[in-house]
Amino acid sequence: MTVSVLAKMEEYDHEQVVFFQDKGTGLKAIVAIHNTTLGPALGGTRMWPYATEEDALRDVLRLSRGMTYKAAAAGLNLGGGKAVIIGDPKKHKSQSFFRMFGRFINTLGGRYITAEDVGIDVNDAEYMYMETDYVVGIESNHGGSGNPAPFTALGVYQGILACMKKKFGHEDLTGIRINVQGAGSVGSNLAELLVKSGAKVTIADIDKERVEGLAKRLELEVAEPNQIITMPCDILAPCAMGAVINDRTINELQCQIVAGAANNQLEHDSHADLLGKRGILYAPDYVINAGGLINVYQELEGYSPERAERMTRGIYYNLMRVFEISEDQKISTRDAADYLVKRRLDKIGRANNVYSPRSKNLLENIHNRRA
Ligand code: NAD
């Protein structure tokens, strides 16, 4: 196991992977710190009944690397990290379980800061907060930032405007047909922004109640979940699951832009080239869906919703930069985003090489001397 973990870490170039277990509470967790060039690694904790330890490890390595890219592309001074807890969120939760997890997180001394992800809610984060400061997404009375989804939706909306400008030369959404997959936290907030801007929105969700509730509140159409991806529209906004752009769907798409919140929308990186060849403009997922991360980041500096909103609006410009590089270098928008990330990591990494009396290492050394 040890050898294969190190080999996997090397494959994605991870800095650190930590395993935690506690027999008393049944806690089994893995924290992966991918890269801390830009700052402490931040990423949520996912709780899932993984079939094998290997599945959990694969997920945490993949997700933590994604966080490095998302933070770097958003211009945040954060590294990439993620935690997974192997367990069933419906069965294995308790106060002691999450307090123990919080204690473990605390031992990392701020190299990793956690938050909510699939299977973890704000109550669980509050239990962690009893034991560690290194958690964001907590209640607002503790200085927390609340639900990130409206910020993610706002970022996607800004990204859609950038795509409009690039593809159609204007940002007027009146009459523009937009298909949204998923009427969850992000999809419903996004649909509302789009409808208010005059777009003709069609939405689908496997949860009929959810989508019908939304249709009562907003002027939009409802479609079948198995048709929404390939139905004709101007813009497709995937806001449900990953890998919706795949070998089966790519030739069936009838849209001009793909711009949505879902993580890992492309089954393979090569699908970005295929979208380009079909003349479909793709907004790389980790660039357009960074609004939620931008929002929780504000907790580290003292939460301000106004600043979170201002920075989230910057996603428009981040995407414009990606499109510019894609055009200049004749590479896919996905490769252009990766290029921007690598360049930022390289530049800041170089700056970190220069000794500064304000550097954190010096402070650490002074603390060590006193101890
Ligand atoms: P959510 O769980 O609130 O909503 C997802 C919705 O998608 C649910 O209503 C679900 O029923 C629906 N769904 C699942 N499979 C479907 C299918 N095949 N067809 C149609 N609908 C389907 O999740 P969310 O927070 O809205 O996140 C949506 C996506 O955005 C996810 O991929 C998530 O990883 C990503 N994302 C979310 C945030 C955030 O702030 N919440 C931030 C970044 C990225």
Side-chain angles (χ1 to χ4, degrees), residues 282-358:
Y282 169 62
D285 44 17
Y286 68 77
V287 182
I288 194 171
N289 73 11
L293 179 65
I294 290 171
N295 186 52
V296 291
Y297 173 75
Q298 302 304 320
E299 280 184 44
L300 303 178
E301 300 188 330
Y303 185 62
S304 149
E306 293 77 24
R307 197 169 52 216
E309 186 177 327
R310 203 168 52 240
M311 280 187 73
T312 301
R313 288 182 187 278
I315 287 175
Y316 178 100
Y317 301 99
N318 298 345
L319 269 177
M320 280 302 195
R321 186 81 194 103
V322 166
F323 297 151
E324 233 175 73
I325 290 171
S326 157
E327 202 166 89
D328 287 353
Q329 300 190 16
K330 301 193 173 25
I331 55 178
S332 72
T333 52
R334 156 122 204 161
D335 286 348
D338 282 5
Y339 169 85
L340 265 181
V341 165
K342 284 177 187 144
R343 202 176 59 175
R344 180 147 193 265
L345 289 174
D346 185 49
K347 280 191 173 169
I348 307 258
R350 278 166 203 256
N352 287 347
N353 281 341
V354 177
Y355 171 76
S356 157
R358 291 183 68 203

Side-chain angles (χ1 to χ4, degrees), residues 26 52 74 89 120 159 169 191 208 220 240 306 308 310 326 350 364 368:
T52 65
I120 299 290
K208 286 266 171 286
L220 43 68
E306 293 77 24
R310 203 168 52 240
S326 157
R350 278 166 203 256
E364 272 168 8
N368 288 343

Side-chain angles (χ1 to χ4, degrees), residues 134-271:
Y134 305 127
V135 53
V136 290
I138 54 174
E139 298 275 15
S140 51
N141 59 340
H142 289 143
S145 57
N147 182 5
F151 288 87
T152 305
L154 175 66
V156 173
Y157 176 80
Q158 291 298 322
I160 284 176
L161 295 185
C163 291
M164 288 278 299
K165 184 78 181 164
K166 174 74 189 154
K167 189 81 185 161
F168 305 133
H170 68 87
E171 294 170 17
D172 183 4
L173 287 171
T174 314
I176 296 288
R177 290 173 308 159
I178 307 184
N179 290 356
V180 180
Q181 184 195 38
S185 313
V186 180
S188 56
N189 277 291
L190 176 66
E192 185 162 354
L193 291 170
L194 294 171
V195 169
K196 279 185 180 156
S197 300
K200 285 170 73 178
V201 175
T202 303
I203 196 159
D205 198 297
I206 48 173
D207 184 334
K208 286 266 171 286
E209 230 172 87
R210 208 171 236 190
V211 82
E212 277 158 17
L214 195 66
K216 276 190 197 137
R217 202 160 58 77
L218 299 174
E219 213 170 288
L220 43 68
E221 305 260 306
V222 174
E224 286 302 317
N226 59 355
Q227 290 175 357
I228 192 84
I229 294 290
T230 52
M231 279 169 62
C233 61
D234 299 300
I235 302 173
L236 173 65
C239 297
M241 309 309 281
V244 288
I245 310 296
N246 53 45
D247 287 343
R248 193 177 51 79
T249 56
I250 196 142
N251 290 321
E252 311 268 306
L253 295 176
Q254 300 189 67
C255 60
Q256 304 203 54
I257 293 169
V258 174
N263 280 311
N264 305 317
Q265 289 168 36
L266 308 179
E267 191 173 46
H268 301 296
D269 291 355
S270 59
H271 288 125

